[in-house]
Amino acid sequence: MNILGVSCHYHDSAAALIQDGELVAAAEEERFTRKKHDSGFPSKAIAFCLGRGGVKLGELDYVAYYEKPFLKFERILTGCVETFPRSGPLFRRAMKAWLGEKLWIKSRLSRALDLPAERVLFCDHHLSHAASAFFCSPFEDSAVLTMDGVGEWASAALGKGEASWREGGRQSLVLSREIRYPHSIGLLYSAFTAYLGFEVNDGEYKVMGMAPYGEPRFADAVRGLVKRFDDGSFKLRMDAFAYHYDAERSFTGEFERLFGAPRAPGARFVTRLTSLYDDTAAPSSRELEENQRFADVAASVQLVTEELVLGLAKEAKRASNSKNLCLAGGVALNSVANGRVWREAGFERVFIQPAAGDSGGALGAALYAYHALLQKPRRHVMTRADWGKSYSAGEAADALRALGAGFEAVEDEDKLLDRVAQLLKDGKVVGWHQGRFEWGPRALGHRSILADPRSEKMKDTVNIKIKFREPFRPFAPSVLSESAASYFELGGKPTPEAARFMLMTMPVKDKKRAEIPAVTHVDGSSRIQTVGPEGDALYRKLIARFQQATGVGLVLNTSFNLKGEPIVNTPAEAFATFMDSGMDALVVGPCLLEKGKNQPSERRRTWRSSEAPDKSLVL
Amino acid sequence: MPETELPEPLRRAKAVLHAFFSFEADVLLAAFYYLALAPTAWLVRLSGRDGLGLKDAPTGWTAREAVDPAEHMAGQG
């Protein structure tokens, strides 16, 4: 039984293929088209998934789409009517997009996949999120909580899943309550993302990274925008927000009255705690003061978001009385909030699958069809995130040769690991391209840039010389699962499942902070990825080898891309990114390249997204 | 034929046509917006309907109806 899940037409288009309940392949379209957050029809991701599964066009049993387009269209029309006459530009943009493409997704899928229309299924947006987490989790029963910007009408939902591994067992996933648009944690956070000068649906994690530089002195002002109820639910004070009628702006003048003038996009962010690195322009006291205000606003919205998420999670606990929680939706990528849920909401175990945002809906829709619709027993637990395309050693060598790269093929795995561990120990920054690329926004040891976490300077080096991004951005560690408790405050609990996918932030132990400064954020926290025996064997061996060499059982791991670009897919993309950055070495399969033997002569990159991102949050 | 391979006059003509139809679409949609949505919006306001949940309520939750998976997955709405 082959079921393909598809998500598209909002952001982060993706496809996922399950065969007899086992996940075979899953990928975001951006990895193939090189357009970050590509929202187009995911032709290339679909072709990859079908190819990986050996499925020809017309051979699929079902295709499941991740939301209900007519319900979403109804919500947009209702919003335009109820906010008339302010919604004119939003209405025109929405009609062009919806009448031109989005309403016809059923026939598009039917034609593209050569399937009769009755084999095209639709799953509610939040149900797709919920299924993507619950049916990939190790739990037979679990509370389920989904939170994002908005789907059709819902922006958050809670319910319960009960599903069995036995033939004939009950397979049930029910969302019993929802919070409806325009009241939304995701849209609240995105409005502040825009206020702080970042792109919505992209820069939210930058707000999260900026928050620890500030004090939440505006928390009461942010709380004033939200009416909270005792049952964990909330409503927003909509006079401060514009996203429900404006295609360009997400907040009103009320924001400026409360928080001051917004931050200019692209402006330098510098506070007394941020690094200037090689920037010779010392900040004025006015610049420091202004930036501290932005950091304080970021800290405030982050704190209130954590309070809202925690309120919903505690309600999920109260309503389900389950020991387990599955989280999904874009808000479940907020690793700081996730860490608080794990520590404070009363659940023993918390599972989040790596593509918790909209791309994950493709997987969830397919799993919902297999388990809830067809009542098939569970077959799959997601313990690893490498579901994308891989390249053989021969393909890697051919691609590098074609680009004129000088490399050494180190076929002996032990020798390769020793060489890389030594490079890291010597303070070199290494591009690591191995196996299948990851599912979701995090690089987890397959398309990663690795460095020594012990170096104070390494954070600045990787931010500025390697990735050309803002110096305030933090880095995460990949840590051997058995070493995690030595470095991080786990409160005596076993490491949560979500930490495998770098989706939880933990405090670094006081006595260890000086030992691993490059992966300790300014507030002493760290967004950890645990690498256990169930994970990638080669990556685990590399970290172990680094531990043997240095005594430290973790490495700095950041995604293999430059600022504003999708994570690399092919060996050629890895080489181009290596040559365009300050990385010292690159490992593609067994091929080891060092910068000295590969002098940059011209820009190698042949792709670059030229499309302006859509600023609308709700279409 | 890709845009870059078109002769210059054809490329210009295409751009003019595209701008014209885009403008036409904007005019038609604006006309529809003011002629059709205006009375609808007033009727909605008169009826007191609260489609966006902006009025006071005792909770932010809305109950979801139980769904039959087969029925649920068959439709787009």
Side-chain angles (χ1 to χ4, degrees):
Chain A
M1 163 95 46
N2 294 303
I3 303 179
L4 182 77
V6 172
S7 63
C8 62
H9 291 338
Y10 186 33
H11 52 85
D12 298 312
S13 297
L17 178 69
I18 59 171
Q19 293 186 320
D20 297 325
E22 292 272 15
L23 178 58
V24 171
E28 281 110 344
E29 184 74 355
E30 65 162 31
R31 305 298 174 90
F32 300 100
T33 61
R34 313 309 303 159
K35 285 185 201 162
K36 187 132 177 154
H37 304 301
D38 194 343
S39 62
F41 187 80
S43 312
K44 291 181 166 64
I46 289 173
F48 157 68
C49 288
L50 296 184
R52 183 85 197 187
V55 180
K56 296 193 180 75
L57 283 181
E59 288 182 356
L60 284 167
D61 293 281
Y62 294 100
V63 57
Y65 189 64
Y66 83 127
E67 65 183 12
K68 299 273 198 173
F70 291 177
L71 278 182
K72 193 166 181 177
F73 192 56
E74 175 204 61
R75 186 256 296 161
I76 291 165
L77 284 177
T78 303
C80 287
V81 167
E82 299 232 358
T83 56
F84 183 91
R86 292 179 296 182
S87 55
L90 181 73
F91 176 80
R92 286 201 294 281
R93 185 190 287 190
M95 289 310 109
K96 284 181 180 175
W98 279 83
L99 296 175
E101 190 170 38
K102 295 184 182 186
L103 278 175
W104 322 114
I105 187 68
K106 185 171 186 174
S107 55
R108 178 88 192 261
L109 285 167
S110 172
R111 270 186 283 118
L113 295 163
D114 194 17
L115 273 184
E118 63 271 19
R119 299 256 165 181
V120 181
L121 306 173
F122 294 85
C123 184
D124 170 274
H125 187 101
H126 278 260
L127 208 45
S128 295
H129 276 319
S132 76
F134 175 61
F135 290 122
C136 286
S137 77
F139 312 140
E140 286 212 341
D141 81 276
S142 175
V144 181
L145 174 61
T146 63
M147 301 161 289
D148 67 2
V150 61
E152 294 88 4
W153 275 98
S155 69
L158 70 79
K160 190 161 185 187
E162 291 173 284
S164 168
W165 305 92
R166 296 183 310 276
E167 196 68 49
R170 176 177 149 82
Q171 315 294 332
S172 158
L173 175 60
V174 176
L175 296 178
S176 52
R177 281 183 279 170
E178 66 186 27
I179 291 172
R180 295 193 131 202
Y181 174 87
H183 312 289
S184 161
I185 302 177
L187 295 178
L188 168 77
Y189 207 87
S190 290
F192 278 94
T193 300
Y195 172 83
L196 291 168
F198 302 117
E199 293 288 348
V200 296
N201 293 330
D202 177 62
E204 283 75 5
Y205 58 100
K206 296 182 188 178
V207 176
M208 193 172 69
M210 185 188 262
Y213 289 98
E215 290 295 325
R217 66 185 167 103
F218 295 101
D220 281 341
V222 181
R223 287 186 191 109
L225 301 177
V226 186
K227 180 177 182 183
R228 294 184 64 187
F229 300 94
D230 291 341
D231 56 10
S233 65
F234 62 88
K235 279 181 176 261
L236 299 184
R237 215 184 86 198
M238 293 311 297
D239 61 326
F241 300 94
Y243 55 73
H244 54 310
Y245 58 79
D246 196 313
E248 293 289 329
R249 296 188 80 224
S250 48
F251 56 88
T252 67
E254 180 67 359
F255 254 58
E256 297 190 33
R257 191 184 70 73
L258 289 168
F259 307 111
R263 179 172 174 266
R268 178 169 76 156
F269 176 70
V270 54
T271 72
R272 286 181 178 82
L273 294 174
T274 52
S275 165
L276 278 173
Y277 193 59
D278 54 358
D279 190 343
T280 52
S284 66
S285 56
R286 181 178 159 71
E287 188 182 10
L288 284 173
E289 197 179 302
E290 275 292 273
N291 279 290
Q292 192 56 54
R293 176 169 65 85
F294 296 131
D296 293 345
V297 171
S300 304
V301 70
Q302 176 62 33
L303 176 65
V304 175
T305 298
E306 290 164 28
E307 291 169 356
L308 290 170
V309 171
L310 207 49
L312 294 175
K314 285 180 175 172
E315 178 64 9
K317 173 71 183 169
R318 191 198 62 75
S320 68
N321 202 29
S322 177
K323 293 183 291 187
N324 308 315
L325 174 66
C326 290
L327 285 175
V331 176
L333 292 170
N334 191 311
S335 55
V336 181
N338 295 342
R340 286 197 63 185
V341 167
W342 180 63
R343 288 189 292 273
E344 300 173 40
F347 292 98
E348 286 178 20
R349 299 172 74 183
V350 177
F351 179 85
I352 311 167
Q353 67 91 18
D358 274 6
S359 54
L363 173 60
L367 287 168
Y368 187 81
Y370 187 75
H371 296 297
L373 174 68
L374 302 171
Q375 286 294 302
K376 300 281 189 186
R378 305 276 294 279
R379 295 283 306 277
H380 176 74
V381 175
M382 194 180 285
T383 55
R384 44 193 301 159
D386 53 327
W387 300 102
K389 191 167 169 60
S390 64
Y391 299 86
S392 67
E395 286 173 318
D398 288 347
L400 294 173
R401 262 187 224 109
L403 292 164
F407 66 90
E408 181 185 349
V410 187
E411 300 294 346
D412 184 318
E413 187 181 282
D414 282 334
K415 283 187 182 154
L416 181 70
L417 293 172
D418 281 339
R419 292 274 297 275
V420 177
Q422 189 62 43
L423 284 166
L424 293 172
K425 187 186 173 191
D426 293 344
K428 306 294 185 193
V429 180
V430 179
W432 182 252
H433 181 290
Q434 300 289 341
R436 303 175 70 176
F437 66 71
E438 295 90 344
W439 169 235
R442 304 277 168 258
L444 300 169
H446 293 260
R447 299 291 185 275
S448 291
I449 296 172
L450 308 177
D452 188 342
R454 301 171 301 158
S455 162
E456 184 90 49
K457 289 181 185 165
M458 194 55 82
K459 186 177 152 192
D460 280 347
T461 304
V462 180
N463 263 332
I464 295 160
K465 285 178 71 179
I466 310 290
K467 300 192 72 166
F468 310 117
R469 68 182 202 181
E470 302 89 340
F472 71 88
R473 306 269 299 276
F475 288 108
S478 298
V479 58
L480 295 173
S481 53
E482 61 272 26
S483 299
S486 314
Y487 289 93
F488 306 102
E489 299 285 0
L490 304 180
K493 295 166 85 171
T495 329
E497 278 83 357
R500 285 179 192 148
F501 306 128
M502 211 185 263
L503 288 169
M504 266 187 195
T505 300
M506 309 281 178
V508 181
K509 286 191 166 174
D510 284 344
K511 62 183 181 190
K512 293 289 186 184
R513 289 180 186 182
E515 194 179 317
I516 49 170
V519 293
T520 303
H521 203 11
V522 65
D523 62 347
S525 69
S526 196
R527 191 184 64 198
I528 71 170
Q529 176 203 355
T530 54
V531 184
E534 74 291 335
D536 180 66
L538 184 67
Y539 192 45
R540 193 172 149 77
K541 281 185 202 166
L542 175 63
I543 303 169
R545 207 60 64 98
F546 182 75
Q547 185 179 35
Q548 283 168 14
T550 64
V552 172
L554 57 93
V555 296
L556 180 156
N557 170 19
T558 185
S559 52
F560 199 151
N561 62 339
L562 305 186
K563 184 185 177 189
E565 296 184 355
I567 297 174
V568 300
N569 164 10
T570 65
E573 289 158 12
F575 180 66
T577 302
F578 168 65
M579 295 305 290
D580 280 352
S581 77
M583 260 181 274
D584 301 296
L586 169 66
V587 185
V588 184
C591 306
L592 175 64
L593 297 80
E594 291 189 62
K595 193 53 85 45
K597 294 168 192 160
N598 292 281
Q599 289 301 328
S601 54
E602 59 190 83
R603 285 189 72 81
R604 313 290 172 115
R605 188 167 286 108
T606 54
W607 71 87
R608 185 157 309 262
S609 173
S610 57
E611 289 183 9
D614 193 339
K615 289 182 183 163
S616 169
L617 284 168
V618 300
L619 298 182
Chain B
M1 184 184 283
E3 179 85 7
T4 48
E5 291 175 23
L6 285 176
E8 185 59 26
L10 272 179
R11 213 158 44 180
R12 277 194 199 159
K14 195 175 168 187
V16 169
L17 280 173
H18 185 268
F20 175 75
F21 283 114
S22 178
F23 174 73
E24 288 285 285
D26 273 339
V27 169
L28 284 172
L29 285 168
F32 183 82
Y33 181 74
Y34 287 104
L35 293 175
L37 260 67
T40 315
W42 283 112
L43 284 172
V44 165
R45 264 168 223 173
L46 284 173
S47 74
R49 189 174 180 273
D50 183 26
L52 292 184
L54 302 179
K55 294 180 181 166
D56 276 343
T59 178
W61 290 116
T62 300
R64 285 172 67 108
E65 287 175 20
V67 294
D68 167 50
E71 202 177 310
H72 175 77
M73 294 202 86
Q76 300 187 62

